[in-house]
Amino acid sequence: MRTGPVTAPVTRKEAKERRKAAEASMSKGERKAARAEQRAAREERRQLMMDGDDRYVLSRDRGEVRRFARDWVDTHRRLINFFMPLALFVIIFQLIPNPELMFYSQNLFLILIVVVVVDGILLGRTVNRVVRERFPDTEDTGFGMGWYAVMRATQPRMLRTPRPRVRPGDAI
C-alpha cells in the first residue's frame, strides 16, 4: 500500500507523537529491533564524525582548510597544549587550605593564563599564515581560523573531535 509524501514534523511534540504512534503499531520484538537499529546508526554516525568525515562533522569542522588546520595543530606541540592538565593541577592546589600554597597556586594560575594568551595569539597568527600559504584563495582565515586552532590546541589530544589523524612531528 502506498501512502502520499511524508512531511517532517514541525515541533518536537509532533515528532514525539509520531514516534509513539509508530511504536504503538509495533510488537515488542519489532520495537527492540528498531531501537537497536537506531543505536547502531547513531554509533556509526558518531564514528564517522570522530574520523573526520565531512558529511558528519559539525559545520565548524567542515572543509579542506579546517582539516589542514586541525592536522597542523595536531602535529605541533606548544605550551598551550598543556593548559587543561596544568589548570586542573592548580585548581586542586587551590582546594588545600594552606595560605602559602594558595598564594603560589594563584600566582601560577595567573602566569599560566598569560602564557596561554600569548601562545594562543602566536598560534592563531601562525596557523593563519600557514593556511594562507597553502590555500591562497580561501576566505577562511583571520580571527575565526585562529580561534579554531587555539580551541583545538587547548583540548587534550584524546578528547579532540574529530580525532587527530596525525602524530606530533609528522609532516602534513
Side-chain angles (χ1 to χ4, degrees), residues 55-68:
R55 295 172 297 170
Y56 297 96
V57 295
L58 298 174
S59 59
R60 70 161 193 240
D61 298 321
R62 285 196 184 116
E64 190 179 358
V65 176
R66 293 291 172 125
R67 189 177 311 112
F68 174 75

Side-chain angles (χ1 to χ4, degrees), residues 28-38:
K28 188 175 183 179
E30 289 173 329
R31 274 195 301 273
K32 270 188 170 182
R35 283 193 205 115
E37 189 178 307
Q38 289 171 349

Side-chain angles (χ1 to χ4, degrees), residues 45-108:
R45 286 192 306 269
R46 190 183 78 75
Q47 284 301 323
L48 288 167
M49 181 191 67
M50 292 300 286
D51 292 340
D53 189 330
D54 265 354
R55 295 172 297 170
Y56 297 96
V57 295
L58 298 174
S59 59
R60 70 161 193 240
D61 298 321
R62 285 196 184 116
E64 190 179 358
V65 176
R66 293 291 172 125
R67 189 177 311 112
F68 174 75
R70 283 195 306 269
D71 289 346
W72 193 93
V73 168
D74 293 339
T75 59
H76 292 79
R77 290 193 194 267
R78 300 183 66 102
L79 292 173
I80 200 169
N81 297 127
F82 303 105
F83 172 70
M84 291 292 219
L86 288 175
L88 181 65
F89 182 71
V90 168
I91 289 171
I92 289 171
F93 276 113
Q94 285 287 314
L95 298 175
I96 299 173
N98 181 342
E100 188 176 328
L101 190 60
M102 290 175 97
F103 173 77
Y104 287 122
S105 67
Q106 286 172 351
N107 288 332
L108 178 65

Side-chain angles (χ1 to χ4, degrees), residues 126-141:
T126 305
V127 167
N128 272 314
R129 182 178 42 80
V130 172
V131 164
R132 272 191 236 106
E133 288 171 3
R134 178 69 70 94
F135 304 97
D137 313 344
T138 188
E139 297 290 323
D140 196 7
T141 58

